[in-house]
Amino acid sequence: MRHGTPADHPASLQYVYSAWAPQFADRLHLTTTQSNLIGLAGNLGMYSMGVPIGLFVDHRGPRPAVIVGSLLLGMGYFPFRAAYDNSSGSVALLCFFSYLTGLGGCMAFAASVKTSALNWPHHRGTATAFPLAAFGLSAFFFSVCGSIFFPGNTSSFLMLLAIGTFTLTFVGFFFLRVYPHAHTHTNASYHAVPSGAGLSDSQQLRRPSSEEAKLTRNGHSPFQDAEPGTSLAAQTPSTPDVGGPVDYSTPSRGAGHADLEAGYTPSPTATVVDEPEDADETSSLVSKSSSMPGDVLVQSSVDMDRSHRVDIRGLRLLCNLEFWQMFAIMGILAGIGLMTINNIGHNVNALWKHYDDSVDEAFIVQRQQVHVSILSVGSFAGRLLSGVGSDFLVKSLKASRVWCLVLASFIFCIAQICAINIVNPHLLGLVSGLSGLGYGFLFGVFPSIVAETFGIHGLSQNWGFMTLSPVISGNIFNLFYGTVFDSHSIEGTHGEYSCPDGLMCYKDAYFVTLGACGIGLLVTLYTIRHQYLERLKEEGKGTAED
């Protein structure tokens, strides 16, 4: 798993924003709403560019994205340190640099998830859980380093973020690899092509073109020089489709691309019966005595997985009802989590200053870093548990991975109830811990759900579409939190803003997110029911066609 984790480690530093945002806002005399705008810009960079970054990763492979991501992370954090030291800075510029940090993290994240999904196709939930867990644990790593080496020193902590994020991501580049599976394209005699009537794209095979056949006979495959997980459109000449209408659910980037990403080729030991010259070039190699509908004689066990039998992306994705169900769930639950993640530092400030007005700034900073660490560890645990747990649900219980999202909804509900009622800051860890756990459960399983529902071949770009939803919900919930907090704040003699009302500073914001949790739970349960009925229809259709 080392091939995905190093590059992914610094990617989720939106968590650590709460560890330095209140002090940064005080130093530059920013309101809570302005501080939240800067944090939201980071979220925007993390989630808004998922589609183009996904396309880039799907076409060019994960490694170039890691290099660009490391540069953006370094370029984003250095100006924050300079602004803090100078006690001045334009909010618009700070939002731009925050956006760069989120964009850099997005690129590292997309590369890591894609690599893990390709390298371990049999255990995709568990495989993607590890880089996702590292994604959640990164804030803990930097928070602990800051509290140990730079206690109470926000300037040095920002320098640590600038140097550390660049270095870790850059080093991860050298460990990131997509490895081909045991079966290789060099020995392939047939390639998958767009499906005809009644057969999926993994069930129809075509003869290779004469040019490809010559290369194969000479011991050279047109695919062997390409790095696995990259598009071969620029290297493989397109072959005209033979017979039947074109199914645009299959990408037109070259016949080998989907196979290469999936790590699948026909077994070199399979026996292929020669057909007469006038035989249909798209004749199916389907077993007449197959025990499963649509079983293919030449296939791997990986290809039998739904994620390798479907390929829904682009406009077809936007016309798919399941996409909008997932989009709504992601938006609601991620927005709830992001509100606490971006504002736990303000919660700490408000509760401690109301509970004990004798605490100094260094103590507040230390408590903020503790809660960022709790959030991060909770997210790490949630991502790991949901990834491994979702594999258990699918393989052992034959249940949907979406049940993990139901659990995430319940966890978020409990977290919001705690936030509404806790007035003792010593108990605030329940809010940060449960919020991190719920957020981890959400993001730990969601990439696997997207891959299974819409196909592995367009995972990065489809995931990019999915992550647009937190941009909308995150903005709404965070700006509402800032508005509520500012309505209770007073301006000090030196221009700084503070809220002396304790829990009342933010309580109303959590009433709204509690209602959103209920809506998210209902949508999730409806999605499970809808998917169950759709899968029954697919099985019935497959049996009828067989």
Side-chain angles (χ1 to χ4, degrees), residues 2 12 26 31 55 99 121 167 196 199 203 218 258 262 384 460 500 542:
R2 66 186 184 277
S12 183
D26 288 344
T31 66
L55 288 168
Y99 182 85
T167 303
L199 288 173
Q203 294 172 324
N218 292 334
L384 207 55
S460 293

Side-chain angles (χ1 to χ4, degrees), residues 336-347:
I336 292 168
L338 284 172
M339 191 184 82
T340 297
I341 288 169
N342 287 350
N343 293 287
I344 192 66
H346 295 296
N347 291 8

Side-chain angles (χ1 to χ4, degrees), residues 401-443:
R401 295 184 196 269
V402 185
W403 281 107
C404 287
L405 301 183
V406 174
L407 181 56
S409 300
F410 275 116
I411 294 172
F412 274 128
C413 284
I414 298 171
Q416 309 315 295
I417 293 172
C418 289
I420 290 170
N421 292 281
I422 289 176
V423 294
N424 186 338
H426 291 100
L427 301 177
L428 193 59
L430 289 173
V431 178
S432 51
L434 289 171
S435 296
L437 186 64
Y439 198 74
F441 258 93
L442 173 67
F443 275 89

Side-chain angles (χ1 to χ4, degrees), residues 272-352:
V272 181
V273 180
D274 290 332
E275 296 178 73
E277 288 298 321
D278 58 348
D280 183 3
E281 289 292 310
T282 59
S283 295
S284 170
L285 297 179
V286 179
S287 172
K288 297 303 179 182
S289 60
S290 171
S291 60
M292 289 184 64
D295 240 345
V296 183
L297 285 177
V298 186
Q299 65 182 4
S300 70
S301 60
V302 176
D303 191 59
M304 289 304 297
D305 183 75
R306 173 182 165 83
S307 65
H308 291 276
R309 291 186 285 107
V310 298
D311 188 8
I312 302 172
R313 62 177 106 180
L315 291 178
R316 294 183 68 242
L317 182 73
L318 300 180
C319 296
N320 189 287
L321 177 60
E322 288 186 51
F323 165 75
W324 292 108
Q325 292 170 345
M326 298 295 178
F327 192 85
I329 296 170
M330 169 68 84
I332 293 170
L333 299 184
I336 292 168
L338 284 172
M339 191 184 82
T340 297
I341 288 169
N342 287 350
N343 293 287
I344 192 66
H346 295 296
N347 291 8
V348 171
N349 241 335
L351 285 190
W352 272 108

Side-chain angles (χ1 to χ4, degrees), residues 378-392:
S379 179
F380 169 80
R383 291 166 193 262
L384 207 55
L385 288 172
S386 65
V388 177
S390 68
D391 276 348
F392 174 77

